């Protein structure tokens, strides 16, 4: 079994996951996380900014960490450097409600992917939902 999700699994996540914690989402509109979060909102997803500054973004309250979010989350979408992504994956694994860890384009950590997969969770790596959505869902 591959540590990284196949296209069918990615399609399922895009269709079914409702609450996306965007790790690295701050209030800077120049950052990719900002536009991807807006993209997800426009498709009916609830986004949750996760950033040390805990800024409110796109009308949603931010939290300093995944552990601070007081409600259930489906996906931890990670906008961090590859060398920091594993820690975000481990933080996501500490929450039983997070069924998918998604590493954005250019974010690659095979060890983290193995840990996520070994825990029975879905792992998406080096992909962007704003690209995968039109490609897989039309």
């Amino acid at each position: 079994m591959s540590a990284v999700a196949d296209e069918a699994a990615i399609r399922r996540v895009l269709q079914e996951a409702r609450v996306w914690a965007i790790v690295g989402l701050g209030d800077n509109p120049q950052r990719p996380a900002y536009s991807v979060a807006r993209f997800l909102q426009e498709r009916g997803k609830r986004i949750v900014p996760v950033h040390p500054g805990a800024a409110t973004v796109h009308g949603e309250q931010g939290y300093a960490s995944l552990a601070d979010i007081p409600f259930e989350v489906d996906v931890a979408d990670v906008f961090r450097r590859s060398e920091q992504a594993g820690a975000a994956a481990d933080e996501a694994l500490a929450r039983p409600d997070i069924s998918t860890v998604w590493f954005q384009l250019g974010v690659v950590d095979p060890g983290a992917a193995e840990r996520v997969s070994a825990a029975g969770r879905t792992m998406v790596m080096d992909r962007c939902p704003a690209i995968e959505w039109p490609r897989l869902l039309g």
Side-chain angles (χ1 to χ4, degrees):
M1 176 176 155
S2 172
V4 180
D6 60 16
E7 289 191 353
I10 293 169
R11 183 179 294 112
R12 178 186 49 75
V13 170
L14 293 172
Q15 290 173 326
E16 297 176 7
R18 305 298 308 151
V19 181
W20 291 61
I22 314 292
V23 180
L25 174 59
D27 59 1
N28 181 348
Q30 303 304 312
R31 305 292 297 175
Y34 193 88
S35 59
V36 171
R38 174 62 79 197
F39 176 90
L40 290 167
Q41 266 191 331
E42 290 170 349
R43 277 138 193 91
K45 308 302 182 180
R46 180 177 183 187
I47 60 103
V48 183
V50 179
H51 190 277
T56 296
V57 182
H58 302 309
E60 292 287 346
Q61 177 182 336
Y63 297 89
S65 71
L66 289 170
D68 292 338
I69 302 171
F71 49 83
E72 290 192 4
V73 172
D74 300 310
V75 178
D77 187 359
V78 179
F79 284 85
R80 290 279 187 228
R81 292 186 178 115
S82 294
E83 59 270 15
Q84 299 169 334
D90 294 338
E91 189 178 356
L93 289 174
R95 289 188 59 129
D97 54 324
I98 295 178
S99 61
T100 301
V101 176
W102 188 303
F103 285 1
Q104 282 294 321
L105 284 177
V107 181
V108 176
D109 182 335
E114 289 294 336
R115 292 192 303 276
V116 170
S117 181
R121 318 274 181 101
T122 300
M123 179 73 214
V124 180
M125 187 162 54
D126 194 21
R127 304 261 187 130
C128 177
I131 294 170
E132 298 305 315
W133 190 290
R135 191 175 74 78
L136 296 174
L137 300 180

